[in-house]
Amino acid sequence: MFPDANGPESHSGSPAETQAESETGRLEAFSDGVLAVIITIMAFELRAPVGGSFTDLRGRLPALLVYILSFVFIGIYWNNHHHLLRAARRVTGGVMWANLHLLFWLSLIPVLTGWIGEHYRDSAPAATYGLVCLGAAVAFVILTRAIIRADGGSSPVAAAIGRDYKGRASLLAYAAATGLAFASPWIAYVLFASVAALWLVPDRRLSR
Amino acid sequence: MFPDANGPESHSGSPAETQAESETGRLEAFSDGVLAVIITIMAFELRAPVGGSFTDLRGRLPALLVYILSFVFIGIYWNNHHHLLRAARRVTGGVMWANLHLLFWLSLIPVLTGWIGEHYRDSAPAATYGLVCLGAAVAFVILTRAIIRADGGSSPVAAAIGRDYKGRASLLAYAAATGLAFASPWIAYVLFASVAALWLVPDRRLSR
Amino acid sequence: MFPDANGPESHSGSPAETQAESETGRLEAFSDGVLAVIITIMAFELRAPVGGSFTDLRGRLPALLVYILSFVFIGIYWNNHHHLLRAARRVTGGVMWANLHLLFWLSLIPVLTGWIGEHYRDSAPAATYGLVCLGAAVAFVILTRAIIRADGGSSPVAAAIGRDYKGRASLLAYAAATGLAFASPWIAYVLFASVAALWLVPDRRLSR
Amino acid sequence: MFPDANGPESHSGSPAETQAESETGRLEAFSDGVLAVIITIMAFELRAPVGGSFTDLRGRLPALLVYILSFVFIGIYWNNHHHLLRAARRVTGGVMWANLHLLFWLSLIPVLTGWIGEHYRDSAPAATYGLVCLGAAVAFVILTRAIIRADGGSSPVAAAIGRDYKGRASLLAYAAATGLAFASPWIAYVLFASVAALWLVPDRRLSR
């Protein structure tokens, strides 16, 4: 196999700008592929109703609502990932593994979406979902730090991140949802939906 | 997470042309990924006949016909999406979410295709399919408007769209199919097939 | 929707070379996505043995062999498609639909692979597989012609195609396999394997 | 079909640098697609627990651990493949088939991951998994040689590969795991995890 898989770019002498372009290019393409499959396979998990009537369809409604929640969740990550990678300049071995680590957590979403769809009244699926969301949020922070470290001083990512109130609030909400799901899964669902709404509503200050 | 996920491009100072290229690039790549998986997973939904004879295969024929219909439907959207994005210049947070909104409706097609394949004599699957087609058509209109708004005055998309007779006719046909499916699902199927034919037949005026 | 989906490039005034690059780019990306999903979903169709012993694994051997055959089949198409698109210069609405038509036939391969895997002693699955291979081969010819027509006179594709002995032989073999599968499916399998071998063995004259 | 699918690039007269870029581009895109689907479908294989309690979730724990192992395994290959292709200059028919050969072995991982998840106490699934890992490792060596041969003298890949201690150690470990799985599958799991750790830990000398 290839011996210097953990960071040959670090000592590369080729022009930084050009290389950075193709470096992040394949990372983005691979991540896009994984996220695209996650979103579509989740819809596949919905499964067609057994009978052919609207009553049968109504039985699939909770599963549909959880699907919408997960769809928005993956959409937010795709959006954020897109913006993060656009600001990134270098891809080291550390960045690649930090990215795979994020994709790992996200890849668990479809199965959990299916689980909640079947058992939305139970605490365990909701709490597990919260835990995986928390894992993904932490993985995103790690990825951000890996990119800043790879870019070195005056990273455009570091400047763009700033205080990151939304990110911190999401982390807290996911942690709270994981714990409060044991009291009632519905509290967790309200928290998940609130985080989704937080990201969907445009941040007026930033986009002018 | 990344704080300015809702439109940092809006205040970007980098050269518009170059940036637009890579901006739409990843949006297209992600959408292509989702549409590619949708089309292939739909074929997977067909499922192999249980027995090994042609009689067993014949039982899968309705499912195959619905698959062809959905394949053409997704193909039309891929085609239109391709042309729309080629004319687009900027990708804002609004455009990204409008695009995800379109993909959401399209992602429901495989499950519904499987549902109709099993219950093609019932009204509910046909009406639901019509509703989802209608949702996708409306989402496409919203995406078009989001792109025109992002591009600002003299958008090439606005000029290219023009009157959009085909789009309007499709919207009407999907709405009619949703309602008339309750009278008979076969009316809905005829309407779905008519819309597909409308887009498949080349528009001679436009391509010279 | 977008009104000029059937060939706006035909009257485009932008520099042909540059545009052609991005034109075929997205067609290739979408086709790659579909082919990648087809290949992987086919492996998914293999299904894990029910028990945990080698005896259980042996029962999946016919399915594995059919999978290898289909994997090579899709690989050949990916290879040929790759070379065809590299030589193409323009993408019109006709080329896009001809490409989708090819992908339609290829998308049926995973289900049929699963069907043969379960019923490899029967004629119907082998004959249907032959028919779909024939459909894909014809679709490839149609796509080639659509590209030559879009490129206009002195198309590099037309020159590269030449006599196309391999393509013709494959078409004949698939037609023969479809018919002879009724005598014995094993004749069809030998023919399928022969076509695969024909394409796998490098053509020495051409590669120097 | 296309007659010169086995290496028209070999006698191509266009500028090597530019062509190499787009040559490896589509090979990378296709491989990324396959690897992205493999990773996501593997998560799909995990399947939601039948009941809605943590006890039900605990029953899926072995499957989750095998999933993590396979996720890292595919991640390593994506990493190595990424670096190998970056160093590659030409894509001949031989390189394309060597690449498909590698993807073939990797495409078997999801099914085997599912098999081990259900029967992790048996020898057969662990030994088969080891065999497929060995097949992938050998395929990677073949792909490396095909690229070096295509590049001709003074290939940057040949220089970068060097002694390749990690690759050789992995090969040996996979071969040992295949054999020792018959004594106990747990020895095989320890070996698989060791190889994963070997690649995850950054090589300090190389990344400075």
Side-chain angles (χ1 to χ4, degrees), chain C residues 164-197:
Chain C
D164 190 12
Y165 292 116
K166 274 189 181 179
R168 287 183 195 184
S170 306
L171 254 162
L172 276 178
Y174 290 139
T178 305
L180 294 170
F182 291 97
S184 160
W186 299 101
I187 304 178
Y189 300 146
V190 168
L191 281 167
F192 295 147
S194 307
V195 173

Side-chain angles (χ1 to χ4, degrees), chain D residues 57-106:
Chain D
L57 185 64
R58 209 177 310 140
R60 310 298 298 136
L61 205 67
L64 179 66
L65 291 177
V66 188
Y67 170 61
I68 293 176
L69 188 71
S70 293
F71 189 97
V72 172
F73 180 78
I74 299 290
I76 289 168
Y77 271 95
W78 181 70
N79 246 325
N80 287 335
H81 190 267
H82 176 92
H83 286 96
L84 180 62
L85 266 290
R86 280 182 72 80
R89 287 184 303 202
R90 320 199 67 169
V91 173
T92 58
V95 170
M96 283 172 118
W97 281 109
N99 190 58
L100 277 168
H101 177 232
L102 170 63
L103 294 179
F104 169 76
W105 289 104
L106 297 179

Side-chain angles (χ1 to χ4, degrees), chain C residues 79-88 140 143-144 147 157, chain D residues 2:
Chain C
N79 245 326
N80 287 336
H81 190 267
H82 176 91
H83 285 97
L84 180 61
L85 266 290
R86 281 182 70 82
F140 196 89
L143 174 61
T144 307
I147 287 177
V157 172
Chain D
F2 218 54

Side-chain angles (χ1 to χ4, degrees), chain A residues 110-170:
Chain A
V111 185
L112 290 178
T113 302
W115 198 27
I116 294 189
E118 298 294 325
H119 303 277
Y120 58 94
R121 287 199 191 83
D122 292 317
S123 290
T128 311
Y129 191 92
L131 202 69
V132 167
C133 289
L134 191 63
V138 170
F140 197 89
V141 172
I142 293 173
L143 174 60
T144 308
R145 298 215 173 137
I147 287 176
I148 292 175
R149 202 166 40 237
D151 279 1
S154 74
S155 161
V157 171
I161 285 285
R163 287 297 173 94
D164 191 11
Y165 292 115
K166 274 189 182 181
R168 287 184 196 184
S170 306

Side-chain angles (χ1 to χ4, degrees), chain B residues 8-162:
Chain B
E9 286 96 355
S10 317
H11 57 266
S12 161
S14 59
E17 270 313 279
T18 322
Q19 182 154 351
E21 183 60 32
S22 68
E23 266 183 45
T24 62
R26 196 171 170 193
L27 200 69
E28 288 178 320
F30 180 72
S31 309
D32 278 359
V34 170
L35 295 177
V37 182
I38 286 175
I39 267 187
T40 329
I41 267 190
M42 227 158 33
F44 194 58
E45 268 274 308
L46 278 175
R47 285 201 196 103
V50 177
S53 72
F54 279 110
T55 318
D56 296 299
L57 185 63
R58 209 177 309 140
R60 310 297 299 136
L61 205 66
L64 179 66
L65 291 177
V66 187
Y67 170 61
I68 293 176
L69 187 71
S70 294
F71 189 98
V72 173
F73 180 78
I74 299 290
I76 289 168
Y77 271 94
W78 181 70
N79 245 326
N80 287 336
H81 191 267
H82 177 91
H83 285 95
L84 180 62
L85 266 291
R86 280 182 70 81
R89 287 185 304 203
R90 320 201 67 169
V91 174
T92 59
V95 170
M96 284 174 116
W97 282 109
N99 190 59
L100 277 166
H101 177 232
L102 170 63
L103 295 178
F104 168 76
W105 289 104
L106 297 179
S107 78
L108 297 176
I109 293 292
V111 185
L112 290 178
T113 302
W115 197 27
I116 293 189
E118 297 295 325
H119 302 277
Y120 57 95
R121 287 198 191 86
D122 293 315
S123 290
T128 311
Y129 191 92
L131 202 69
V132 167
C133 289
L134 190 62
V138 170
F140 196 89
V141 170
I142 293 174
L143 174 60
T144 307
R145 297 213 174 139
I147 287 177
I148 292 175
R149 201 165 42 235
D151 277 1
S154 75
S155 162
V157 172
I161 286 285

Side-chain angles (χ1 to χ4, degrees), chain A residues 73-103:
Chain A
F73 180 78
I74 298 290
I76 289 167
Y77 271 95
W78 181 69
N79 245 324
N80 288 336
H81 190 267
H82 176 91
H83 285 96
L84 180 61
L85 267 290
R86 279 182 72 79
R89 287 184 302 203
R90 320 200 67 168
V91 174
T92 58
V95 170
M96 284 174 117
W97 281 110
N99 190 59
L100 278 167
H101 177 233
L102 170 63
L103 294 179

